Amino acid sequence: MMNGVIVIGAGGHAKVCIELLRAMERQVAFCIGGDDDAGGFCLGVPVLAGDAHLASLRDRGFGQAFVAIGSNGLRQRLGARALALGFELVNAISPRATLSPTAQLGRGVAVMAGAIVNADSRIADFAIINTAASVDHDGHIGEAAHIAPHCGLAGNVEVGARSFLGIGTKVIPGIVIGPDVVAGAGSVIVSDVAGEARIAGVPARTLRKKDT
Ligand SMILES: CC(C)(COP(=O)(O)OP(=O)(O)OC[C@H]1O[C@@H](n2cnc3c(N)ncnc32)[C@H](O)[C@@H]1OP(=O)(O)O)[C@@H](O)C(=O)NCCC(=O)NCCS
């Protein structure tokens, strides 16, 4: 197997993830960026343009990948594609994150510096626990969900697949948040949230639909 992780993504989130992987003493071989990224570099890592490179890198013997894309749906789809091609999806965990020994992490998970994942929590594939966010005991973070920086989730909180909790969101104990939810920055979530809701505020309420 060729050495080095393939990072899918070449933007700001990819930079953070490359530094996490380097802090874990993993070498990053290539990034895969969009069609406009040809010939560029991301933190010194050569960027190949277009997802088609994933299959050719697999053919060349690269076996490990990490999806570093901010869009939750796209991260989930590209993660599934990488798995189907036979890549192992590695985790990118900051040495300055605190993970309970009883926490369970899936594949392709990012846990940034200062984040805390407490006892018996489960973090599903492709989820992001961003800088200084905390997931307290028995939390369940769904596939490709994103818990943005400085979020605070009390115990027994469940977050559905692909849901996004904006920066600084707080969630009281036992709340269930459905899939594909967007919670605005600074939300305080005090009741269960149905799937696909867009909420914000203190306490968090459904955002008014925009006029079309
Ligand atoms: C919630 C959010 C996604 C809405 O974005 P949007 O769809 O473009 O919505 P708009 O900016 O048009 O705002 C719609 C309404 O919601 C209000 N609103 C937006 N964000 C809000 C927030 N965080 N808290 C309270 N109200 C908010 C706006 O004031 C506006 O109110 P109005 O209808 O009375 O004028 C965005 O404002 C937000 O908070 N994003 C979080 C980003 C983040 O944390 N990123 C971290 C990356 S690591």
Side-chain angles (χ1 to χ4, degrees):
M1 189 167 77
M2 294 288 278
N3 258 343
V5 178
I6 305 305
V7 167
I8 304 168
H13 180 59
K15 288 183 183 176
V16 180
C17 294
I18 288 168
E19 290 197 335
L20 291 182
L21 290 163
R22 287 175 175 166
M24 297 168 75
E25 300 187 348
R26 287 179 178 275
Q27 183 212 334
V28 179
F30 292 101
C31 288
I32 299 182
D35 291 336
D36 299 337
D37 292 326
F41 290 85
C42 182
L43 289 189
V45 177
V47 179
L48 305 173
D51 299 340
H53 285 288
L54 201 51
S56 53
L57 289 168
R58 184 75 189 110
D59 290 343
R60 282 170 59 186
F62 288 94
Q64 294 185 319
F66 183 86
V67 189
I69 287 180
S71 158
N72 293 345
L74 186 55
R75 190 169 64 259
Q76 187 180 37
R77 287 196 296 281
L78 288 172
R81 191 185 301 174
L83 285 171
L85 286 168
F87 279 100
E88 174 197 356
L89 272 288
V90 299
N91 288 339
I93 313 291
S94 170
R96 287 180 288 136
T98 305
L99 296 185
S100 158
T102 56
Q104 295 173 40
L105 300 190
R107 301 165 292 186
V109 168
V111 185
M112 311 298 192
I116 299 174
V117 179
N118 263 336
D120 269 344
S121 288
R122 287 177 291 148
I123 314 294
D125 294 353
F126 318 125
I128 301 170
I129 312 299
N130 218 315
T131 309
S134 62
V135 176
D136 222 296
H137 64 86
D138 301 292
H140 182 202
I141 307 303
E143 187 163 316
H146 180 178
I147 311 301
H150 294 277
C151 284
L153 278 55
N156 288 298
V157 167
E158 187 176 323
V159 178
R162 297 170 304 280
S163 285
F164 168 70
L165 303 190
I167 192 161
T169 293
K170 309 295 177 199
V171 189
I172 67 169
I175 292 291
V176 176
I177 298 170
D180 299 299
V181 166
V182 174
S187 299
V188 175
I189 302 178
V190 297
S191 53
D192 290 353
V193 181
E196 299 183 20
R198 292 171 64 77
I199 58 170
V202 182
R205 300 206 189 285
T206 304
L207 284 177
R208 200 159 51 84
K209 286 215 165 49
K210 285 182 188 167
D211 297 334
T212 49

